[in-house]
Amino acid sequence: MKLPVVRYLVLAAGVLGFIIPAWAGELTIYSARKEHLVKPIFDEYTKKTGVRIQYLTDKAPALLQRLKAEGNNTKADLLITVDAGNLWHAAQENVLQPVDSEILRKNIPDHLRDPGGRWYGLSIRARTIVYNTDKVKPEDLHSYQDLASEEWKERLVLRTSQKVYNQSLVAMLLVENGREKTKNIIEGWVANLSAPPFSSDTKVLESIAAGLGDVGIVNTYYYGRLIKKKPDLPLALYWPDQDGEGVHVNVSGAGVTAHSRNREEAVKFLEWLSSPEAQSLFADANMEYPVNPKVKPHSTVAAWGDFKQNMISLANAGALQKDAVKLMDEAGYR
Ligand code: FE
């Protein structure tokens, strides 16, 4: 008589094994952050909570178009993307909804999230100065603005102004310096270029290492990736404006979609992403910095040194993006 009972229990456990995750809920996520960076995080959350996560990855503009086209038929509960400029646009296009969460407000500093709660930064990316260590001493470097001075004539390497990272950087310079001064800075940069702007941060780094220029502006994780592969390259990072406004930072981040059918689950997932447990996973995957000030960066990233970051709200990166693009065009920055 015992055997059938045991068999029944085993069978029940098997069935429950399938049923519990369904009860635990599910989420659909559109991610402009690449699959290898987000999948381990989704898997970890599923393991922890049973919540099943479906996802789709694509470029940020494509995902935004898709959300707009799908309207209230969308299956997406969350949008994950990079750059505050892209997050701001998504909010502006009404594909994200406001989320008011004490946990998110506590875990994520003011300047790294939408004042309206429609998007939250989840990792910090520092856009800083990189230099050739054979040609430049760190004491020669000062600020973004200083790269426009005569001293750097034909020594500066930049990525194209078409890239949202540079549009956001110039938008933030606009808030800090006003239009006239910012235009002077950009004109100075253009006058100092040693080569036409490159299509990627990695090409900027490689050309500086090859001696095609002496200094440039890049996101630190590209430096991290390249140095990991080629540790002997004569490159180092410099933290500008440490007596002034600080290093320009941006974020990768997320927001709950306007038509999410699983709003409560989506908010819970967002809150988890801002927690110390998930923050290391999220930032370390791409050698970025956690947004949660309680969490330390990975030791590889920490070894690049501490820096003071610019505290101006990143909402400006989106709001002033058009102005930034216009100004770069006027200044001849291609
Ligand atoms: Fe990038």
Side-chain angles (χ1 to χ4, degrees):
M1 279 301 283
K2 261 182 186 169
L3 199 60
V5 174
V6 170
R7 196 185 286 163
Y8 175 75
L9 285 174
V10 169
L11 187 71
V15 170
L16 283 173
F18 277 105
I19 291 170
I20 286 167
W23 289 340
E26 57 183 23
L27 285 170
T28 301
I29 299 175
Y30 287 179
S31 174
R33 210 164 153 86
K34 294 198 179 78
E35 181 175 14
H36 72 276
L37 299 179
V38 289
K39 189 170 183 298
I41 295 157
F42 298 164
D43 289 347
E44 182 63 29
Y45 192 67
T46 302
K47 205 170 87 190
K48 201 181 131 71
T49 62
V51 172
R52 286 179 300 182
I53 296 180
Q54 314 254 28
Y55 62 92
L56 177 88
T57 61
D58 206 337
K59 299 249 187 256
L63 291 178
L64 178 57
Q65 282 314 312
R66 192 180 170 115
L67 281 171
K68 277 167 70 181
E70 289 172 343
N72 58 17
N73 290 319
T74 192
K75 284 193 175 134
D77 299 302
L78 286 143
L79 173 69
I80 296 180
T81 188
V82 296
D83 203 285
N86 289 333
L87 289 160
W88 186 90
H89 268 294
Q92 209 61 15
E93 297 281 357
N94 296 318
V95 301
L96 301 177
Q97 62 170 295
V99 169
D100 185 19
S101 150
E102 206 185 317
I103 294 173
L104 289 170
R105 271 186 275 120
K106 201 180 80 203
N107 287 346
I108 306 171
D110 287 5
H111 67 296
L112 305 176
R113 53 182 160 88
D114 175 31
R118 293 163 300 177
W119 53 265
Y120 290 85
L122 294 171
S123 67
I124 294 176
R125 13 193 53 214
R127 195 151 186 78
T128 197
I129 295 177
V130 62
Y131 63 96
N132 183 311
T133 50
D134 293 336
K135 295 180 172 183
V136 177
K137 290 190 205 74
E139 11 343 338
D140 300 335
L141 291 159
H142 308 286
S143 61
Y144 301 94
Q145 183 184 339
D146 177 64
L147 295 178
S149 72
E150 279 281 319
E151 190 189 340
W152 301 103
K153 192 134 199 95
E154 286 172 28
R155 300 175 72 191
L156 179 64
V157 183
L158 292 176
R159 182 178 188 163
T160 169
S161 65
Q162 311 287 309
K163 183 66 190 181
V164 68
Y165 300 169
N166 283 332
Q167 295 168 2
S168 291
L169 171 65
V170 172
M172 300 305 271
L173 289 172
L174 269 170
V175 183
E176 232 173 272
N177 302 292
R179 201 171 195 284
E180 273 319 295
K181 213 172 151 192
T182 307
K183 199 177 169 200
N184 289 338
I185 296 170
I186 309 302
E187 282 172 347
W189 285 358
V190 172
N192 286 345
L193 288 177
S194 66
F198 288 94
S199 60
S200 75
D201 280 20
T202 303
K203 283 180 184 160
V204 168
L205 289 157
E206 284 170 342
S207 66
I208 294 170
L212 214 71
D214 298 347
V215 286
I217 300 172
V218 293
N219 284 2
T220 55
Y221 55 89
Y222 290 106
Y223 166 84
R225 269 184 225 169
L226 188 62
I227 285 295
K228 198 175 163 195
K229 272 190 270 173
K230 300 176 185 172
D232 298 330
L233 289 181
L235 293 173
L237 296 172
Y238 176 81
W239 305 120
D241 291 289
Q242 293 302 282
D243 301 326
E245 297 288 341
V247 172
H248 275 277
V249 293
N250 208 312
V251 287
S252 75
V256 176
T257 61
H259 301 290
S260 168
R261 287 168 203 161
N262 303 296
R263 185 181 198 275
E264 217 174 300
E265 275 308 338
V267 173
K268 268 191 221 156
F269 180 60
L270 209 47
E271 289 174 341
W272 179 74
L273 287 176
S274 74
S275 72
E277 182 191 357
Q279 275 286 287
S280 290
L281 277 176
F282 202 89
D284 296 356
N286 194 34
M287 287 190 264
E288 293 175 29
Y289 297 86
V291 286
N292 187 328
K294 288 199 198 93
V295 183
K296 290 196 169 55
H298 188 274
S299 58
T300 307
V301 173
W304 305 336
D306 287 335
F307 60 88
K308 170 181 161 186
Q309 64 175 280
N310 194 301
M311 301 294 279
I312 297 172
S313 171
L314 274 172
N316 288 294
L320 293 176
Q321 198 182 78
K322 266 196 189 137
D323 294 340
V325 170
K326 191 161 174 275
L327 186 138
M328 289 191 283
D329 186 54
E330 283 172 24
Y333 179 10
R334 301 291 173 238

